[in-house]
C-alpha cells in the first residue's frame, strides 16, 4: 500500500468526469487500498479516485465507526429525500470549510470490491459523504455549491 499524491484546487482533472469501472482486477484493488490509506493519512471521511489523479468511478468513505471503510465502485444515487444544511470540507481544498445543502437521505447502488452489486440507504453524514463523493465522479466540486458567505479558512492545529 502507498500514500498517493492528492490533486488540489486549480487542478483541471478535478473538473473531469470519471469513467465506469469495467473490471475489478489487482490494479484496481491496489488503487482502492492506496485510496483508503491516503484518506486515513489526511483524516478524510471520503475520497474519490480523481483526487489521486485516476478518472475511475471509485470512492472510499470512512466515518470512523464500526462499519469501517466502505468502497463504492460505479455508485449511482437512485433516490434522495429531504435536505440537510451541513458544514463541509474536501481533501482537495485543505483548510477550507463551508456550508452546503445536501440531501438528508440517499439511496445508492454500487459494486463492492468483491464485485457484488449492493444498495445502501444512507442518512446524515453518510448521505452527505456519498453525495459529495459522487459529485467528484461527475467533476463537480463542493466549492461551487456552497451557501454564499459561509466559506472559512481554518488552519490545522499543530
Ligand atoms: Ni472532496
Amino acid at each position: 500500500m502507498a500514500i498517493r499524491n492528492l490533486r488540489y484546487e486549480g487542478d483541471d482533472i478535478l473538473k473531469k468526469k470519471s469513467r465506469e469501472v469495467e473490471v475489478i482486477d489487482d490494479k484496481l484493488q491496489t488503487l482502492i487500498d492506496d485510496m483508503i490509506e491516503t484518506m486515513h493519512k489526511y483524516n478524510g471521511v471520503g475520497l474519490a479516485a480523481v483526487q489521486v489523479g485516476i478518472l475511475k468511478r471509485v470512492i472510499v468513505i470512512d466515518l470512523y465507526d464500526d462499519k469501517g471503510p466502505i468502497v463504492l465502485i460505479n455508485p449511482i444515487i437512485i433516490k434522495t429525500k429531504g435536505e440537510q444544511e451541513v458544514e463541509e470540507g474536501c481533501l482537495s481544498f485543505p483548510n477550507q470549510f463551508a456550508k452546503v445543502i445536501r440531501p438528508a437521505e440517499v439511496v445508492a447502488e454500487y459494486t463492492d470490491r468483491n464485485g457484488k452489486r449492493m444498495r445502501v440507504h444512507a442518512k446524515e453524514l453518510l448521505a452527505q459523504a456519498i453525495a459529495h463523493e459522487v459529485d467528484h465522479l461527475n467533476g463537480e466540486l463542493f466549492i461551487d455549491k456552497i451557501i454564499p458567505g459561509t466559506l472559512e479558512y481554518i488552519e490545522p492545529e499543530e
Side-chain angles (χ1 to χ4, degrees):
M1 297 214 288
I3 307 285
R4 303 254 181 147
N5 289 329
L6 285 174
R7 300 301 189 97
Y8 293 107
E9 182 175 13
D11 191 322
D12 284 344
I13 200 170
L14 294 174
K15 299 266 175 86
K16 291 188 178 160
K17 204 172 155 141
S18 295
R19 291 179 291 272
E20 294 269 314
V21 171
E22 282 165 21
V23 282
I24 300 174
D25 54 11
D26 287 353
K27 200 176 161 195
L28 193 82
Q29 297 289 358
T30 301
L31 170 67
I32 290 165
D33 287 336
D34 290 354
M35 285 172 63
I36 291 169
E37 195 175 349
T38 305
M39 169 177 68
H40 286 161
K41 156 111 176 144
Y42 296 103
N43 303 313
V45 296
L47 187 69
V50 60
Q51 293 179 275
V52 294
I54 306 288
L55 286 167
K56 287 185 176 170
R57 300 186 81 82
V58 179
I59 65 184
V60 296
I61 291 171
D62 197 345
L63 304 184
Y64 302 93
D65 61 8
D66 56 6
K67 295 196 185 79
I70 311 167
V71 177
L72 301 94
I73 300 166
N74 298 335
I76 300 170
I77 293 174
I78 55 173
K79 203 168 142 189
T80 64
K81 192 175 160 193
E83 288 185 342
Q84 52 175 337
E85 185 182 311
V86 284
E87 184 85 4
E88 197 160 298
C90 177
L91 291 181
S92 294
F93 294 77
N95 311 326
Q96 297 181 46
F97 298 89
K99 289 205 165 112
V100 293
I101 304 285
R102 293 292 184 190
E105 297 180 36
V106 162
V107 178
E109 286 183 357
Y110 63 98
T111 300
D112 73 8
R113 64 187 304 174
N114 301 312
K116 195 173 169 204
R117 201 66 184 162
M118 311 284 281
R119 181 182 285 218
V120 60
H121 187 161
K123 295 176 181 177
E124 299 169 346
L125 181 57
L126 185 57
Q128 176 189 0
I130 291 172
H132 177 113
E133 301 308 331
V134 170
D135 275 357
H136 272 301
L137 303 183
N138 297 323
E140 294 170 21
L141 298 168
F142 90 109
I143 210 79
D144 295 321
K145 46 182 71 175
I146 64 173
I147 298 172
T150 64
L151 183 62
E152 289 186 284
Y153 293 81
I154 298 170
E155 289 298 319
E157 288 173 35
E158 285 300 309

